Amino acid sequence: MLISVAISNTNDPKAMTHFLARDANNLLALSNLITTGPWSPCVWEGVKRAKANYLSSDLCALDFDTGEWSVTDALAMLTENGLGGLIGATRSPQRGKDGAAPCDRFRVVVPWEGTITSLEAFEQNMARLVRYMPADPACKDGARFYWPCTEILHVTHGDPMTWEPYTQPPPRLPSRSAQYDRELHQVPTWMEAELRNVGPGSRNKT
């Protein structure tokens, strides 16, 4: 197992732009990397953190901070699916976020079954996972980084996370009403309603 992780060379929150690739050959070494400094599951060409510089990803990293899942739920998911990975506490475990009640706040990190070298494939696979789990949707961002975990809560041994090659989404078709409007060359009903209610101060809206 060889896992590449991008590690920041600073802890300054205003300077999270430069990351260097570091390698880990087992989960213990990976634990050390993600608890010592800002990191990312993505590696970028050069050192600048940007989608345009996406090079590869060896890790699936999911962030949980809404309280919909507890650490116990995440551990059960890893165990039931036979996945080998880490569960790490974040900087504010059991603290309410934005006025919400205190809850488990943690991160699940699992190696991919092979390196993902396509940004589109990475983001599509991450989007698929967050549809099935209450993880932060921003996890799918190919330029995402994370603050270090405060501690590793669980280590599970098992298989890596499978991923699927990128597939082009089907084209979005217009709604049936929109198709009728186009065929009949008529103004959509919602637009007619808006134009009937134009009043003072509505120039920009119109």
Side-chain angles (χ1 to χ4, degrees):
M1 176 191 298
L2 185 63
I3 303 166
S4 291
V5 184
I7 301 294
S8 174
N9 58 2
T10 178
N11 285 308
D12 182 354
K14 296 180 180 179
M16 289 295 124
T17 56
H18 292 79
F19 284 73
L20 297 172
R22 295 277 301 278
D23 291 336
N25 55 18
N26 53 49
L27 291 179
L28 176 60
L30 178 61
S31 299
N32 292 333
L33 288 176
I34 68 173
T35 54
T36 55
W39 64 281
S40 175
C42 300
V43 172
W44 301 283
E45 188 174 8
V47 298
K48 188 173 182 181
R49 177 175 66 89
K51 278 190 181 186
N53 297 335
Y54 177 92
L55 195 61
S56 64
S57 173
D58 289 333
L59 290 174
C60 167
L62 298 164
D63 219 20
F64 297 86
D65 61 5
T66 64
E68 293 180 73
W69 265 24
S70 65
V71 170
T72 301
D73 293 322
L75 182 59
M77 181 275 293
L78 292 176
T79 304
E80 290 169 6
N81 289 281
L83 296 172
L86 309 172
I87 299 178
T90 59
R91 292 192 300 172
S92 305
Q94 288 301 329
R95 295 182 189 174
K97 183 179 180 181
D98 299 327
C103 63
D104 287 350
R105 299 179 67 188
F106 58 94
R107 197 162 293 130
V108 174
V109 183
V110 182
W112 292 115
E113 187 179 44
T115 302
I116 302 179
T117 57
S118 160
L119 172 64
E120 293 79 10
F122 171 79
E123 295 191 333
Q124 192 172 73
N125 278 275
M126 291 299 295
R128 173 176 55 85
L129 290 172
V130 299
R131 283 198 298 269
Y132 297 111
M133 303 180 221
D136 184 349
C139 293
K140 66 177 184 281
D141 186 353
R144 183 74 186 270
F145 83 93
Y146 298 102
W147 295 107
C149 293
T150 56
E151 63 175 315
I152 300 301
L153 302 173
H154 296 282
V155 178
T156 62
H157 298 282
D159 297 326
M161 182 79 75
T162 58
W163 60 275
E164 300 171 1
Y166 175 74
T167 55
Q168 185 72 35
R172 293 184 61 184
L173 298 176
S175 66
R176 181 164 295 181
S177 62
Q179 290 182 51
Y180 289 152
D181 292 335
R182 291 180 184 182
E183 291 170 6
L184 299 175
H185 303 287
Q186 65 186 16
V187 176
T189 53
W190 66 266
M191 191 179 294
E192 284 191 65
E194 290 290 335
L195 292 172
R196 288 196 200 99
N197 296 305
V198 175
S202 300
R203 182 182 66 184
N204 290 339
K205 182 179 179 182
T206 305

